[in-house]
Structures are given as structure tokens and as C-alpha cells.
Amino acid sequence: GWELAALYLPAQEGKKTVLLLHDLGKNKEAFASFKKDLSQEGFGCLALDLRGHGQSIGQGEAYSFAKEGVDNEYNKMTRDVEAAVAFLDKNGVSAADIAVLGAGLGANVAAKSMSFSPDIGALALISPTTNNKDVLSIPAMRLYKGDILIAAGAADKKSFLEASVIRNVAFLTAGEGKVTFLTAYDLT
């Protein structure tokens, strides 16, 4: 019931493609400068407007979605990721050549999506939490064994501690050398 909007820039041969998932209330344009940087380095990208955001149309706007429930529209955003991965597959990009990068709510959606797409090559979570609109990140981190980057700011202690817990769970699952944790100590 959703028509998803996205911007796709193919990768140069031998380079990965990054699937970009924005935060709550944002859209694919939140990554405008990052998309440019990726492209200049030869990486491909697929910036997606998650359901209820940007130009994606269907069954309402994100602000009207139920904030609780394991089957709310926020949790169903994992289907948006599945559709994006299927699109990339049709365009010759294998799951192993995809890195999924999410910020805020997009980080939780990215993490949860690994339960359904465990063959994805890499995962990057920017400011993930353990629970964002009932989208839980830890259960998937107990399954995913690919390379993981987690970045969190130390200014918000609660969010930083949650990201640290996610890192610990990911490390126990993926193992040594598979998890990188970056900390920002100021707002820049």
C-alpha cells in the first residue's frame, strides 16, 4: 500500500552501495551532502524516503502513525528496506555489496532489518537507541554477523548508554574486529 520515493546513484565497478535511511521527520534529502561525497568516491547510494516521509505516499504521514505496537507503521519500515534491497538486487547489486546506514529512527529500522536481510555486507548506525517508536534494535544485533559501525554522541547520556549496550550486544554476536564504535564529544 505504499509507493516509496528514492534517489539511486549506481556505484563504480568494485565499489559498495550504501542504502541511506533518514531519521524521524526527515527525508532522503537529509543525506544530500553525504550522497555527493559517496558518489565522488565511487560508491553508489540509494537514499530512501521511508513510508510516511518525504515523497513516499500511501497510508498517511509519519506523525499520524501509532507510536506503540510491534506491528505499527514504524516497525513496518523494515519492509521499505526489503523493497530497497530488492530494487538494488534487480539492478545487479548483491546483498554482500550493500551497506545500510541509518540515523536516529533510521538506525533502529536499519538494525531491525538485519533480521530479515542477514546477508547485507555492512551496517552503520548513527545515534541508535534500544527502542524508538517500538522499533527494537537489540534483537537483530543478536543475529547479525556482518561489519558494524555505531556512532553516538556523548552529550546525551541516555542515548550514549543505549548505543553502548547495542555495541556490546553486537560485539558478542559479530565478534572481534567486526564492530567499530565512534564517539562524538561535542555537537560538531
Side-chain angles (χ1 to χ4, degrees), residues 51-183:
R51 62 183 59 205
H53 292 84
Q55 296 173 325
S56 291
I57 56 173
Q59 303 170 12
E61 300 293 323
Y63 68 84
S64 68
F65 294 168
K67 292 170 183 50
E68 297 175 343
V70 295
D71 202 29
N72 66 16
E73 289 297 323
Y74 297 108
N75 274 289
K76 290 179 183 176
M77 288 177 180
T78 58
R79 295 178 187 165
D80 303 350
V81 174
E82 289 178 58
V85 169
F87 171 85
L88 290 171
D89 182 58
K90 286 181 185 175
N91 283 276
V93 181
S94 71
D97 288 331
I98 298 172
V100 179
L101 181 148
L105 174 64
N108 281 51
V109 172
K112 183 171 181 173
S113 294
M114 295 307 102
S115 296
F116 308 105
S117 302
D119 296 333
I120 294 294
L123 176 64
L125 307 175
I126 312 302
S127 301
T129 58
T130 57
N131 180 344
N132 192 333
K133 309 292 185 208
D134 269 358
V135 181
L136 306 177
S137 57
I138 288 181
M141 292 297 89
R142 295 179 69 193
L143 302 170
Y144 184 67
K145 295 183 181 346
D147 293 324
I148 303 168
L149 169 72
I150 300 172
D156 181 342
K157 289 181 182 178
K158 180 182 182 295
S159 293
F160 181 77
L161 288 173
E162 288 188 31
S164 297
V165 169
I166 296 165
R167 175 206 55 207
N168 292 344
V169 171
F171 178 80
L172 290 172
T173 301
E176 190 170 339
K178 301 289 270 178
V179 180
T180 301
F181 190 80
L182 299 176
T183 304

Side-chain angles (χ1 to χ4, degrees), residues 10-81:
Q12 293 176 3
E13 189 164 334
K15 294 283 189 166
K16 306 269 186 204
T17 298
V18 182
L19 172 56
L20 301 167
L21 306 177
H22 58 79
D23 197 358
L24 180 65
K26 308 271 181 166
N27 61 43
K28 63 186 177 297
E29 297 309 318
F31 295 106
S33 63
F34 188 56
K35 288 185 296 196
K36 183 179 174 188
D37 293 341
L38 287 170
S39 181
Q40 287 177 346
E41 295 297 322
F43 293 97
C45 68
L46 178 61
L48 180 65
D49 278 345
L50 293 165
R51 62 183 59 205
H53 292 84
Q55 296 173 325
S56 291
I57 56 173
Q59 303 170 12
E61 300 293 323
Y63 68 84
S64 68
F65 294 168
K67 292 170 183 50
E68 297 175 343
V70 295
D71 202 29
N72 66 16
E73 289 297 323
Y74 297 108
N75 274 289
K76 290 179 183 176
M77 288 177 180
T78 58
R79 295 178 187 165
D80 303 350
V81 174

